[in-house]
Amino acid sequence: MKSDALVLLDQTSEKQLMTKVLIIEDEEILRESILNILETNGFITIEAGDGRSGVRLAKEFVPDLILCDVRMPELNGYQVLQTLRQDPVTAKIPLLLITAENIRNVRYQAQELGANGYLIKPFTTAQLLQAIAQELRDCLS
C-alpha cells in the first residue's frame, strides 16, 4: 500500500517530477539523506552546506523549491530566507524551513519572513515527500 506522499507524487505531472530542489543543510549526513530520497523520487537536486553558498546557488540556478535548515553557521535559515525574499530573482521561490527548534518560534519567524512552511526534525521520508508534494501543488494552483 502506498503512502499518502507517494500517492501525491504519483498524481504530479512529469514537470513536477523534474522539479529542481535546492537543499541547504550543514549536517552532511542529513543533507545526503535528503538528496538520496529526492533523487530516488525523480527530483533534480542541488546542495549547499551553508547559508552563504545556498543563497549563491539559489541565485545561480533558480530552483523550483528550497529546503533550508534553520540552524547553520554564518547565515542561518532565517537570514537565508530574508536575503532570498529581497532579491527579485529569488523572491518567489517556495522555501520550506527544516528545524529541530521550538515549533512556536519557527512558525512565527517563518510567517514573518515569508517561508512557505517547515519540517520538524526528525522527519520521515513520507513527511518530506508529502511536504514537497503539497507545496508544489499549492504553487501550481
Side-chain angles (χ1 to χ4, degrees):
M1 180 175 246
K2 287 189 174 186
S3 72
D4 291 342
L6 292 177
V7 170
L8 275 174
L9 282 175
D10 284 348
Q11 295 170 352
T12 60
S13 68
E14 274 187 42
K15 181 187 182 317
Q16 287 172 300
L17 288 177
M18 294 308 294
T19 299
K20 191 178 357 171
V21 180
L22 170 60
I23 298 98
I24 307 171
E25 170 63 63
D26 63 323
E27 291 179 42
E28 187 176 356
I29 292 170
L30 180 55
R31 186 174 68 247
E32 293 296 325
S33 295
I34 294 170
L35 288 165
N36 185 41
I37 291 165
L38 296 184
E39 289 170 1
T40 300
N41 284 281
F43 292 92
I44 298 166
T45 60
I46 306 161
E47 65 177 297
D50 62 76
R52 204 171 302 287
S53 298
V55 168
R56 182 179 50 76
L57 290 170
K59 291 178 181 186
E60 184 178 339
F61 292 101
V62 190
D64 300 301
L65 180 76
I66 298 171
L67 297 172
C68 183
D69 187 21
V70 170
R71 284 193 190 164
M72 295 183 293
E74 293 184 47
L75 282 183
N76 67 37
Y78 301 127
Q79 293 166 317
V80 168
L81 177 59
Q82 197 167 27
T83 302
L84 294 176
R85 291 296 183 250
Q86 292 171 355
D87 186 322
V89 172
T90 58
K92 302 249 187 245
I93 299 172
L95 189 143
L96 300 175
L97 292 170
I98 302 171
T99 186
E101 290 185 7
N102 177 303
I103 190 66
R104 279 196 191 118
N105 294 342
V106 173
R107 187 178 297 143
Y108 175 76
Q109 284 280 77
Q111 287 174 340
E112 285 295 304
L113 297 172
N116 297 77
Y118 49 87
L119 276 167
I120 304 298
K121 294 178 191 176
F123 49 83
T124 65
T125 296
Q127 288 169 326
L128 173 65
L129 294 175
Q130 187 167 15
I132 291 170
Q134 185 63 53
E135 190 54 45
L136 292 175
R137 217 170 48 195
D138 291 349
C139 288
L140 292 173
S141 55

